[in-house]
Amino acid sequence: MGRLDEYRIMWVFVFFDLPTESRQNRRDHARFRKNLKEDGFTMMQYSIYTRHCNSSENAEVHMKRVKRLLPPEGEVIVFTLTDKQFGMMEFFRGQKPSERPDTPQQLELF
């Protein structure tokens, strides 16, 4: 991966806090998570999903999809990071450093 790719490749993050008091709330919560997974997002933590995108244009497409999937109640935060910024994140399990999530392999045709 070239140096410029670190700024071109994007990660889309979705943070959410959805109510689960009623049966309908739980259905909306489950449907939202299911739709994220179907769009290629993977669970980083229980209410944090990420998706690797090969460009900012591709990241915009997935951000628009998330906005169309928003449940009627609750709080959802959607943002992007460059691959360079993602690489600077530190992960811990307890007080010990932990491995970062796998980065999907890129297929280059040219």
Side-chain angles (χ1 to χ4, degrees):
M1 177 170 32
R3 184 170 179 263
L4 292 178
D5 287 340
E6 294 175 339
Y7 297 97
R8 188 175 59 91
I9 296 171
M10 305 295 290
W11 288 84
V12 178
F13 282 76
V14 178
F15 288 39
F16 56 89
D17 186 14
L18 304 179
T20 56
E21 287 87 30
S22 71
R23 175 176 255 182
Q24 185 60 45
N25 288 157
R26 289 188 290 276
R27 281 189 192 138
D28 292 339
H29 183 273
R31 185 177 306 122
F32 184 65
R33 292 180 63 225
K34 179 182 173 202
N35 288 335
L36 288 175
K37 289 179 189 175
E38 287 177 356
D39 194 33
F41 283 84
T42 57
M43 187 171 70
M44 179 176 256
Q45 291 186 355
Y46 190 68
S47 296
I48 302 173
Y49 281 70
T50 62
R51 190 182 197 294
H52 189 257
C53 297
N54 59 4
S55 67
S56 60
E57 293 82 11
N58 186 242
E60 282 294 322
V61 167
H62 292 286
M63 289 180 70
K64 286 179 184 176
R65 285 184 188 161
V66 171
K67 290 175 187 174
R68 284 196 308 257
L69 302 172
L70 291 175
E73 296 181 48
E75 188 172 344
V76 178
I77 300 169
V78 184
F79 66 94
T80 59
L81 292 178
T82 65
D83 199 42
K84 177 73 172 176
Q85 292 168 322
F86 184 83
M88 293 188 295
M89 291 175 63
E90 295 184 65
F91 295 84
F92 296 93
R93 185 169 304 268
Q95 295 182 346
K96 296 179 182 176
S98 175
E99 291 187 25
R100 68 184 62 249
D102 290 335
T103 301
Q105 295 294 320
Q106 292 292 309
L107 179 62
E108 290 193 28
L109 301 175
F110 303 100

